[in-house]
Amino acid sequence: MNIGVLAIQGSVSEHLSALKQCGVQACEVRDRKSLSEVSGLIIPGGESTTIGKLLKLYGLDVAIIERVAGGMPVYGTCAGAIVLSKKTTGKKPNIVQLLDIDTARNAYGRQIESFSTQISAPTLSRKPIPAVFIRAPKIIRVGKNVEILARFHNEPVFVREKNILASTFHPELTNDLSVHRYFIAACARR
Ligand code: GLN
């Protein structure tokens, strides 16, 4: 199984490294051809405005929508979650609108208000998992078919709707692999 990480901007190498530590093949995705060869795709954190613009420029927005409609699992981290959401507040990045949630960008404050914490995610792990929030968005609406996998201060921070997964935190910046393992399991079930 080969899992792709969208490699146009953001924390790409950290996701590739986490996937490889889980024992799967992982590759960068930058164009339609590499997208067509993967069994799942991670859209990393970074800057959603930039990621959205480049997705459109490379024609990857439409290609991602088609593959996800065909069942390919996708996981958006932080800016990736914004890109996947139905609606977002603030300066509007181009979004693919696949996941029935709304997000509010930079909702915890500025870069300096970034933090790392532990969250409980019982579906993934019995122990709390570490989570790094960097100028993170908040999920401000969750559609009725969206399952909440983890909360922080009672607000959803990790959600799933069918083959679409999104977290407002960065698991790839911690040593814990449970979020990546969960995503890999979803890719393997296909
Ligand atoms: N603040 C960024 C945005 O709105 C997201 C930050 C991140 O991905 N860590 O796009």
Side-chain angles (χ1 to χ4, degrees):
M1 186 168 51
N2 191 13
I3 298 185
V5 179
L6 182 72
I8 49 184
Q9 197 260 337
S11 62
V12 178
S13 58
E14 292 86 349
H15 275 297
L16 289 170
S17 155
L19 290 167
K20 286 175 188 162
Q21 284 177 62
C22 294
V24 295
Q25 248 183 287
C27 68
E28 297 187 350
V29 165
R30 293 211 167 81
D31 52 29
R32 284 169 165 268
K33 181 170 181 297
S34 45
L35 179 65
S36 71
E37 290 162 358
V38 295
S39 316
L41 179 73
I42 293 181
I43 304 180
E47 186 55 49
S48 52
T49 321
T50 311
I51 296 175
K53 258 189 204 157
L54 294 176
L55 272 182
K56 202 178 177 73
L57 186 72
Y58 301 154
L60 274 169
D61 52 350
V62 176
I64 290 174
I65 292 168
E66 283 168 6
R67 285 238 40 208
V68 174
M72 180 190 74
V74 64
Y75 166 38
T77 314
C78 202
I82 296 171
V83 168
L84 289 172
S85 60
K86 270 256 136 68
K87 275 197 208 146
T88 193
T89 59
K91 192 163 173 251
K92 296 273 189 307
N94 175 56
I95 45 183
V96 294
Q97 301 186 315
L98 286 165
L99 174 59
D100 192 16
I101 61 168
D102 295 345
T103 47
R105 295 183 66 194
N106 306 326
Y108 295 93
R110 299 166 56 196
Q111 189 79 6
I112 194 146
E113 269 102 34
S114 299
F115 59 98
S116 109
T117 185
Q118 302 270 330
I119 55 171
S120 112
T123 326
L124 275 69
S125 163
R126 264 177 290 145
K127 292 185 299 183
I129 59 168
V132 178
F133 290 81
I134 302 173
R135 224 152 64 86
K138 282 190 182 179
I139 297 171
I140 53 172
R141 183 192 64 84
V142 168
K144 64 177 189 323
N145 297 321
V146 176
E147 183 189 354
I148 298 174
L149 299 169
R151 294 175 197 264
F152 174 66
H153 287 170
N154 222 20
E155 292 172 327
V157 292
F158 187 32
V159 295
R160 184 182 77 92
E161 183 181 12
K162 291 189 233 129
N163 50 334
I164 308 168
L165 208 58
S167 70
T168 56
F169 59 89
H170 293 259
E172 79 287 5
L173 300 180
T174 74
N175 291 325
D176 188 281
L177 296 171
S178 45
V179 173
H180 290 85
R181 289 213 176 95
Y182 183 80
F183 181 61
I184 291 166
C187 299
R189 273 197 300 276
R190 285 257 305 135

